[in-house]
Amino acid sequence: VGRSFIDFVHPRDRNTFASQITKVLAIPKGVSLTEENDQTIENQGSTMVCRIRRYRGLSCGFGVKNTTTAYLPFLLKFRFKNINDDKGTVIYLVIQAVPLFSPFKTSNEILAKTVSFVMRHGADGNLEYIDAESVPYLGYLPQDITNRDALLLYHPGDLGYLQQVYESLVKEGNVNRSKTYRMMTQNGHYIKVETEWSAFINPWSKKLEFVTGKHYIIEGPANPDVFQNPENVLKLTAEQNNQAKTYRDGIIRIMKEVLTKPAEIAKQQMSKRCQDLALFMEILMEEQPKAIDELRLEIQDTDHSYYERDSVILGG
């Protein structure tokens, strides 16, 4: 009691923590601070996932500084509350923190209840958004994994199949449900998922902007504690690493270069227009040109100065 709460938040999560509070407190421009607005602030809320430091006590020795700092993941729910005291009305931040644990109890566990989470990445593979619901199942915090290469989460052995999935996704705009493939968790092991894919195509450029995947978890990882420190499970040879990189580069190239369905339609329409124009030009060329005498105009006005002046104006 009396300590600043942010001191207990993991250093990597402090910026996210502060920005969440600012986002909730941000008041739209032109709105006056009335009682009604105070009520709005009080009712507003926000959620985020962050790591909170565990208590370091002296029960195991005398050197607190020598003990390793341990953090646990929590889901935080923010709420602002107006408290009336001697100083007047003061806004307090109320935080409800719920600890997050891995739902997997055994190795390669098959879940009785279907669980899904949503992930979105750009055409360059950059991860733009991931559900907070994914945290207990993957072990990654959204702020740790956002702006990283989403394709690195896929098992190298499944990249060949996923390349085909992305190709049909770009051409068709969506894929109903993929086959089962593997996705890496924070501890370095893999869960098995099936995915419904959709692609957003920019209506102006006709190019793919981002890919959204709704991932259904089929089977848990070999190590059920997804929050444990990562371990190198895959021992890949240099050749296998190169093969995986080739597949990933291929997927990026597909997203950036393969013609999307709207682009294909536009290309066909343009091709038809070109054919129509070519046909029209052929017909024009085939028609006999009129005699030059027929095209010549008779000038009634004998005063050529007016004619020249009018021609200049007309030309201008």
Side-chain angles (χ1 to χ4, degrees):
V1 175
R3 295 277 300 278
S4 173
F5 181 77
I6 205 161
D7 289 344
F8 298 95
V9 174
H10 195 287
R12 289 203 336 238
D13 298 335
R14 284 174 189 173
N15 285 341
T16 313
F17 178 80
S19 65
Q20 283 284 53
I21 296 168
T22 313
K23 191 167 73 175
V24 177
L25 271 179
I27 299 162
K29 288 178 184 175
V31 176
S32 59
L33 282 166
T34 58
E35 285 183 16
E36 186 183 333
N37 196 58
D38 286 348
Q39 289 298 318
T40 309
I41 289 174
E42 190 171 346
N43 292 332
Q44 279 181 337
S46 178
T47 59
M48 72 163 285
V49 181
C50 83
R51 287 155 290 208
I52 298 175
R53 199 179 78 203
R54 292 187 73 170
Y55 174 65
R56 290 191 296 180
L58 287 171
S59 58
C60 300
F62 296 100
V64 174
K65 287 183 179 178
N66 296 332
T67 56
T68 54
T69 308
Y71 291 88
L72 292 177
F74 281 81
L75 177 69
L76 303 188
K77 292 181 182 177
F78 301 104
R79 189 166 54 86
F80 288 94
K81 193 168 178 63
N82 292 329
I83 306 286
N84 293 311
D85 57 13
D86 301 337
K87 299 173 186 175
T89 304
V90 182
I91 297 175
Y92 281 87
L93 172 64
V94 181
I95 299 173
Q96 182 187 359
V98 181
L100 294 174
F101 300 103
S102 174
F104 305 113
K105 301 290 180 281
T106 57
S107 181
N108 303 112
E109 185 181 341
I110 294 169
L111 296 175
K113 188 183 174 186
T114 306
V115 178
S116 65
F117 61 91
V118 174
M119 206 160 69
R120 185 180 73 234
H121 67 76
D124 56 356
N126 192 42
L127 187 66
E128 297 171 353
Y129 169 82
I130 186 165
D131 263 348
E133 284 83 352
S134 69
V135 176
Y137 299 94
L138 289 179
Y140 302 107
L141 271 60
Q143 57 266 33
D144 285 347
I145 198 174
T146 308
N147 296 322
R148 284 172 55 187
D149 189 353
L151 305 185
L152 291 170
L153 294 175
Y154 303 147
H155 192 286
D158 297 331
L159 287 169
Y161 163 67
L162 288 168
Q163 190 170 355
Q164 298 170 10
V165 170
Y166 272 90
E167 199 157 351
S168 57
L169 173 66
V170 171
K171 288 178 179 174
E172 299 301 323
N174 60 64
V175 172
N176 290 335
R177 185 91 171 230
S178 70
K179 292 178 187 173
T180 305
Y181 66 96
R182 290 159 289 183
M183 186 179 283
M184 190 165 67
T185 58
Q186 194 271 151
N187 65 11
H189 291 261
Y190 289 84
I191 58 168
K192 288 184 180 177
V193 295
E194 289 177 4
T195 305
E196 290 174 359
W197 308 86
S198 64
F200 175 76
I201 312 296
N202 187 312
W204 287 276
S205 66
K206 307 286 190 298
K207 290 192 173 181
L208 183 140
E209 291 271 321
F210 57 81
V211 170
T212 306
K214 188 174 185 182
H215 307 284
Y216 295 89
I217 299 165
I218 305 300
E219 189 183 295
N223 178 359
D225 187 359
V226 293
F227 293 111
Q228 271 188 11
N229 290 331
E231 52 183 303
N232 189 14
V233 177
L234 292 178
K235 303 285 190 285
L236 297 177
T237 63
E239 189 183 338
Q240 287 171 322
N241 275 320
N242 290 335
Q243 180 66 52
K245 189 181 183 305
T246 305
Y247 278 131
R248 282 193 285 267
D249 292 344
I251 291 170
I252 300 288
R253 195 166 56 251
I254 286 166
M255 288 192 284
K256 286 187 171 181
E257 295 174 15
V258 171
L259 283 177
T260 59
K261 202 171 186 179
E264 194 67 54
I265 293 166
K267 187 183 175 186
Q268 288 169 3
Q269 287 173 344
M270 185 59 75
S271 177
K272 189 176 184 306
R273 282 196 206 106
C274 290
Q275 287 171 359
D276 292 346
L277 184 62
L279 188 66
F280 176 69
M281 292 300 286
E282 279 176 24
I283 293 165
L284 259 181
M285 296 299 286
E286 283 170 7
E287 285 182 4
Q288 291 297 323
K290 293 184 178 181
I292 293 171
D293 292 339
E294 289 178 39
L295 297 173
R296 194 173 287 148
L297 294 173
E298 288 184 19
I299 308 299
Q300 299 296 329
D301 196 344
T302 52
D303 188 351
H304 291 291
S305 62
Y306 285 110
Y307 163 66
E308 284 168 8
R309 190 196 66 195
D310 290 347
S311 293
V312 170
I313 291 168
L314 211 71

